[in-house]
Amino acid sequence: MMRQTFFIALASALVLSGCGTMRPPVNVCEVSYSMAATSQSATNPLVEPGTTSSLAQEFANVSMADAFRDAVEDAPVVSQPGPLTVEVLALSAGGQFGAFGAGFMRGWAENPVTPRPIFRLVTGVSAGAMIAPIVFAGSEFDEALDGYRGLSEEQIFERRSFTTLLSAPSFADVTPLEQFVETRLSDGLIASVARNHDEGRGLFILATDLDITDAAVFNLGEIAASDQPIEQRRKCMKEAMLASAAIPGLFPPRHIDGGLFADGGLRDQIFLQSIEQARQDIIRETGRDIRVSATIVVNGSLLPPAEPVPDGLLNYARRAAVILADEVLRDSISEVVRFAQSQKNWTVRGMLADTDLSQCEPTAVGGTFDACVTQMIFDDGRKKGRMPKIPWLGPEELLEEAAQL
C-alpha cells in the first residue's frame, strides 16, 4: 500500500516528463559524511564509485558506534559499573507539523522540573532534519526554533510559472526555504554542532537516494567539524537538510557529490533502528552493558484530510504528498515501537502532535504550510514541553495512535 501511495504522489510529477527537465547543479561538499547508500560519489572519501549499499551503511554504523564508544569512555569510573543508558532523540518527518516538534523542544528546554536532556544521539527526517541541528547545538540556540511558529507557505516556496515549469525539477521554487534554513545555520550554531560532535555526540539525518532508491545517512556533525571554510560547511549542511525535506515533485531534489537526494520520509519517517547495530558493536568491544532510552517526537497529526481536494495540478500533488506522509509515518511509528519493544535493552516514549486545530480552516490542516496551523501546533508543543509532568505516550499508546485511521 505504501508503494501505491508513493506512485500516486509522483503521478503528477510525471506529467512533466519529456519536457526537458534537467538534473539540478551538483553541490560538491568533499567532506567525510556517511551515506547509507550511494554509488556515484567520487568526491566523498568514505564512498568510492561502485560501493554497495551495505558497505556504505557500514560507514554510517561506524559513525554511530563512535557516539556509543565515547559514552562508555565518558562514564564515571567505578569498581562495578552498572548499565550505561544512552539518550537518543528521533525527530520524525511531518511537513508543517514540524512546528510542533520545534515548539515542544523549545518548551522542554524551559521546563523547570524535567528540563530537556543532552542527547548523545539526535536523528531527524525531513521536518525533523530541519529541527535536529538546532536541538543538537544546545538550548542557547533555541530562539532559532521560533521561526517555525506561524510559518506560512510563502516562507517556504513559490509557485513556478508555466513557462519555467516545463524545464524545472519541481512544481515549486524553494528559494525562500533555502534562505530560512541558511539563516538558522549561524556561525555559532555550526561551531557548537562541531564542538559537540568532537566531544562524542552524533547528529544524523536521513534522505533518499533517488538514483538507487535507498536511504542515505548524512552525518551533519562530521560536516560541521570538517576543515572546510565556514561558508562551505553551512552550504553542505543546508543541502543535506534540504535533501531530507525535498517532497517529491513539489520540492526539487538536491544533487550532492554525484548523488540525487530527496525526502528521507520516502524510506523511513523515524530514523532509529539502525542505531542498534552500533550499540551491539560497542557492547562486544567494551563489554559494557549499554541501554538505549529513546524519545520519539512525532511531527504529524495522523489525521489525513477528509474534504474534497481543490482542483489544480499543484493541489493534487500536495494532497498526494500528505497522504504519502501519513501512510509512511504510521508504518514508521509501528515499526520503531515494535522494534524497541523487542529489544530488552531499549525503552521508548513519544510525543504526538494531537493539537486541536478546529480554529483553522479545514483545508489548511491537510495542506503544506499554513500560518494558523503552524502557530497553533508550535504553541501547543511548547505548552506540553513546559508541563511539570510531560504527557508522554508509552509504547502501547503510540501503537494505538498509529493504528487509528
Side-chain angles (χ1 to χ4, degrees):
M1 182 176 181
M2 188 167 65
R3 288 184 179 180
Q4 292 173 341
T5 310
F6 169 63
F7 286 119
I8 293 172
L10 292 183
S12 55
L14 292 177
V15 173
L16 300 179
S17 63
C19 293
T21 299
M22 301 296 292
R23 178 169 290 223
V26 65
N27 290 283
V28 179
C29 288
E30 296 184 330
V31 292
S32 55
Y33 52 82
S34 301
M35 289 193 207
T38 185
S39 59
Q40 302 298 324
S41 177
T43 58
N44 185 348
L46 283 184
V47 184
E48 298 179 357
T51 55
T52 64
S53 173
S54 60
L55 179 58
Q57 180 63 61
E58 182 179 336
F59 292 129
N61 289 341
V62 168
S63 297
M64 294 178 192
D66 287 342
F68 282 98
R69 184 180 296 106
D70 287 331
V72 173
E73 293 175 355
D74 293 343
V77 178
V78 295
S79 58
Q80 293 183 330
L84 175 65
T85 299
V86 172
E87 294 278 355
V88 176
L89 174 65
L91 298 161
S92 86
Q96 65 177 339
F97 282 86
F100 176 84
F104 178 74
M105 302 312 291
R106 184 78 154 112
W108 195 5
E110 299 165 335
N111 193 306
V113 179
T114 55
R116 192 174 83 205
I118 296 176
F119 293 95
R120 176 66 61 171
L121 286 169
V122 176
T123 72
V125 182
S126 195
M130 297 294 183
I131 305 166
I134 303 172
V135 176
F136 185 80
S139 58
E140 62 268 34
F141 296 96
D142 277 2
E143 284 189 8
L145 296 170
D146 294 346
Y148 290 87
R149 184 180 188 271
L151 193 63
S152 64
E153 183 175 293
E154 292 74 21
Q155 295 172 276
I156 298 297
F157 65 86
E158 298 172 351
R159 301 185 184 207
R160 298 187 191 273
S161 66
F162 180 75
T163 53
T164 58
L165 194 62
L166 293 176
S167 59
S170 64
F171 287 111
D173 178 348
V174 295
T175 299
L177 177 59
E178 293 175 354
Q179 296 171 346
F180 181 86
V181 173
E182 189 165 328
T183 299
R184 276 145 190 80
L185 292 175
S186 65
D187 290 3
L189 185 143
I190 294 173
S192 182
V193 169
R195 184 166 53 252
N196 292 337
H197 169 81
D198 289 341
E199 291 176 357
R201 295 168 56 201
L203 171 60
F204 303 94
I205 64 174
L206 195 73
T208 300
D209 187 323
L210 295 181
D211 288 323
I212 60 175
T213 71
D214 209 342
V217 180
F218 287 87
N219 185 338
L220 291 190
E222 189 80 13
I223 296 175
S226 74
D227 59 1
Q228 297 291 323
I230 186 69
E231 289 302 325
Q232 179 72 357
R233 284 179 276 160
R234 186 179 357 265
K235 174 186 174 183
C236 291
M237 290 179 70
K238 178 186 72 174
E239 286 299 316
M241 293 162 67
L242 291 170
S244 182
I247 302 170
L250 185 62
F251 293 175
R254 315 305 292 196
H255 194 184
I256 306 171
D257 286 353
L260 193 65
F261 300 97
D263 196 341
L266 293 172
R267 279 300 181 192
D268 202 350
Q269 294 218 17
I270 301 174
F271 170 38
L272 197 62
Q273 291 167 262
S274 55
I275 292 171
E276 174 60 15
Q277 181 62 53
R279 186 189 73 88
Q280 292 182 13
D281 289 344
I282 300 305
I283 288 176
R284 286 190 291 268
E285 177 184 314
T286 65
R288 186 71 184 268
D289 183 6
I290 304 174
R291 301 182 180 182
V292 173
S293 175
T295 298
I296 300 172
V297 177
V298 181
N299 292 309
S301 66
L302 300 182
L303 293 172
E307 75 283 347
V309 59
D311 288 333
L313 189 58
L314 182 58
N315 291 326
Y316 298 158
R318 288 191 294 189
R319 178 59 61 84
V322 169
I323 296 171
L324 169 66
D326 178 78
E327 180 73 18
V328 180
L329 181 56
R330 290 174 185 276
D331 288 345
S332 296
I333 294 172
S334 298
E335 289 173 5
V336 166
V337 172
R338 289 197 174 98
F339 169 78
Q341 287 181 312
S342 70
Q343 307 296 317
K344 66 178 182 178
N345 292 318
W346 281 63
T347 60
V348 63
R349 62 182 178 179
M351 180 57 56
L352 179 70
D354 58 353
T355 310
D356 179 5
L357 296 172
S358 58
Q359 296 181 34
C360 301
E361 292 292 331
T363 54
V365 179
T368 47
F369 289 87
D370 179 84
C372 175
V373 173
T374 55
Q375 177 177 329
M376 293 197 70
I377 59 180
F378 182 95
D379 290 346
D380 182 50
R382 193 170 188 177
K383 178 182 177 182
K384 285 183 169 67
R386 287 172 168 171
M387 288 182 178
K389 187 176 181 180
I390 296 177
W392 294 110
L393 300 176
E396 295 301 330
E397 293 169 301
L398 286 168
L399 288 173
E400 183 178 346
E401 291 288 347
Q404 294 178 7
L405 182 60

